[in-house]
Amino acid sequence: MKKKNKKNGFAMVEVLIAAVTVISIFTLLYNSIYPIVGISKASENYDDIDSKYIAFYIKEMLETDEINIKNTFSSTNNTSGAPMIYKTYRYYNGPNGEMVNKNYDIYSVLGDEHYLFGNDICELLRENSNQKNNRFFCQKYVTGANITAIYVTPYNVTKFKNYVKNNNSFSRSFKNYVNYMPTYSQNASKSSYNSGYYRIIVEIRHESYNTAGEIYYTYATIEVKDQ
């Protein structure tokens, strides 16, 4: 009987060791994989095909009108990495057709049918009835696509990424996207391609179909050729 008890005790120790080992492996896998799954889930909102197309059409309007993007940057922007930010605002037309109440924040009033929405980057575009009226189309497109902001940066976003990382005025979702972005650093073999290009980042507002009232944002970036 004593020998049998010793064998049973030894078997129980083996089971405990095996159980602890298995639990440790699963814990290690969970801690390693779960953050990756979270990052992968968040990245579904980064440069998805719909957002990329929206960014592409903004790029097309800017390049069609040959906007001199370089002139929108001051020496401060180039040194610090601060982007030019064109936020979408709401307004209404005054009695003489003028735009009134441009200071309202789009985040609190989207869906308010009494107001129109516009973005100052559209004001850089051509307004000519004899040609393509990109200014008018841009304002309508910004409204229809739910674009809340357009950021303009140099092609190489290394300084921009550091600027956003250390600046608490940006939303967490935007900071996460910028952290996810490549640096698009200058490549000697592609210098002719990078030269004369800037980048735009488009922020788009969505309402979740799964949870009533839940808001989330998607982002896309694309290069834009300077004039």
Side-chain angles (χ1 to χ4, degrees):
M1 292 296 292
K2 291 182 178 179
K3 290 183 179 180
K4 188 175 182 180
N5 287 339
K6 287 181 179 179
K7 289 181 179 180
N8 289 340
F10 182 73
M12 184 170 289
V13 171
E14 286 183 317
V15 170
L16 286 173
I17 292 173
V20 170
T21 302
V22 170
I23 291 171
S24 298
I25 292 173
F26 274 104
T27 301
L28 179 62
L29 289 174
Y30 178 83
N31 290 334
S32 300
I33 295 175
Y34 186 75
I36 297 175
V37 172
I39 294 172
S40 176
K41 184 67 177 176
S43 66
E44 291 177 0
N45 297 332
Y46 302 158
D47 294 298
D48 61 285
I49 189 167
D50 292 334
S51 302
K52 206 71 172 178
Y53 267 117
I54 290 173
F56 171 79
Y57 284 121
I58 296 295
K59 158 197 169 77
E60 285 292 287
M61 285 184 278
L62 293 174
E63 290 186 347
T64 297
D65 276 17
E66 298 181 339
I67 300 300
N68 193 328
I69 297 175
K70 185 176 182 180
N71 288 345
T72 67
F73 281 89
S74 65
S75 59
T76 303
N77 293 107
N78 291 324
T79 302
S80 67
M84 292 296 296
I85 305 174
Y86 297 93
K87 287 193 173 184
T88 301
Y89 50 80
R90 74 172 182 174
Y91 69 94
Y92 65 90
N93 288 325
N96 298 318
E98 72 276 17
M99 299 171 67
V100 184
N101 285 7
K102 287 178 59 176
N103 59 325
Y104 280 96
D105 186 353
I106 188 175
Y107 292 90
S108 62
V109 296
L110 272 173
D112 187 338
E113 60 184 8
H114 298 95
Y115 288 86
L116 303 170
F117 298 95
N119 190 294
D120 280 333
I121 203 169
C122 299
E123 296 299 313
L124 302 176
L125 302 176
R126 180 191 300 127
E127 185 178 35
N128 189 324
S129 58
N130 297 322
Q131 301 179 42
K132 183 182 293 184
N133 191 338
N134 275 338
R135 184 183 301 179
F136 173 82
F137 179 74
C138 179
Q139 299 290 26
K140 293 297 183 183
Y141 189 72
V142 163
T143 303
N146 278 344
I147 296 173
T148 53
I150 299 172
Y151 302 82
V152 182
T153 75
Y155 185 92
N156 184 334
V157 295
T158 302
K159 291 182 179 180
F160 165 69
K161 285 168 70 73
N162 290 331
Y163 179 86
V164 172
K165 179 181 179 180
N166 298 316
N167 193 317
N168 293 326
S169 65
F170 296 100
S171 67
R172 184 174 67 175
S173 61
F174 181 71
K175 295 182 78 166
N176 288 340
Y177 172 71
V178 172
N179 183 59
Y180 165 87
M181 287 174 61
T183 58
Y184 301 103
S185 56
Q186 189 78 12
N187 187 319
S189 63
K190 297 182 178 180
S191 59
S192 60
Y193 177 76
N194 293 351
S195 178
Y197 280 81
Y198 285 77
R199 304 201 69 81
I200 59 171
I201 301 171
V202 178
E203 178 184 78
I204 305 145
R205 183 184 187 273
H206 302 268
E207 291 187 12
S208 174
Y209 292 108
N210 299 324
T211 306
E214 182 178 345
I215 304 299
Y216 69 96
Y217 297 90
T218 60
Y219 299 90
T221 182
I222 195 169
E223 67 276 4
V224 178
K225 188 173 183 178
D226 194 25
Q227 182 180 1

